[in-house]
Amino acid sequence: MKKQTATDRIRSALADAIVRGEMGPGVVLDEASLAERFSVSRTPVREAIRQLEAIGFAEARPHRGAVVPNFTPERLTEMFGVMAELEALCARSAAERATPSDLEALDRVHADCADAARLGDIDAYYQTNLLFHETVYAVGGNSFLAEVTIGVRNRVAPFRKAQFRSLGRLLKSVEEHQRVVDAIVARNPDATADAMRDHMLVVRASVGEVSPTLKS
């Protein structure tokens, strides 16, 4: 796992505060005050804000800095609805194309997820969870679909990470992954797509457990 930079740390902390509602819509992301808060120069703060803008977690205002956007439950449900269908397409393709070596790779990363879940390590689980989904994309063999899916995933990533704080969520996520893996092993594209879609919709519901203002 790569070492976290100051920019990574600030971006993650701000995104988490936005998801939890600790920084509400319209709050100004002031570089000077944030630099003081995180005990850094303005450079990593500026880059963190730029990265948040790229995924829709900050809105730039000409000559006035950036502000926190207004996420509504309806908007988030729309975003996860699209995410669910893209992930389902990737999973369906994986069930159709998986080779024995692909299944071994998927089983390894699934086991890593299970290990992180048993330890209750949210950061480790978040990283192995990303690898699990990226392995499904790779097994599916459609690079364009993978690119589009990753683009949407980046926009909901802070919400996906935050939901892991919901009680028991890590182990439940592993169980949902198991259903996806079982369906891929069974070469059942329909069941695989359904399992992945259901998994993503549970993720959406779980966001509401850690951010009540976004409860659907």
Side-chain angles (χ1 to χ4, degrees), residues 3 9 26 35 59 63 69 79 91 107 112 124 149 178 209:
K3 184 177 179 181
R9 177 170 59 89
E59 293 178 350
H63 313 299
M79 293 166 70
D107 191 59
D112 289 341
T149 304
Q178 185 66 63
E209 299 301 317

Side-chain angles (χ1 to χ4, degrees), residues 11 15-16 18-19 50-59 69-72 75-80 82-83 86-87 126 130 137 146-162 200 203 207 214:
R11 184 194 65 246
D16 190 56
I18 292 168
V19 169
R50 187 194 69 77
Q51 291 180 11
L52 289 173
E53 289 173 354
I55 62 170
F57 267 68
E59 293 178 350
N70 181 28
F71 287 108
T72 65
R75 174 68 169 173
L76 194 60
T77 296
E78 290 174 351
M79 293 166 70
F80 269 96
V82 172
M83 183 83 262
L86 289 172
E87 292 265 7
Y126 178 67
L130 289 179
Y137 307 160
E147 289 171 13
V148 173
T149 304
I150 289 171
V152 176
R153 186 188 71 186
N154 289 341
R155 294 182 69 89
V156 299
F159 295 106
R160 291 178 75 162
K161 184 174 184 180
M200 294 310 305
V203 171
V207 171
L214 294 174

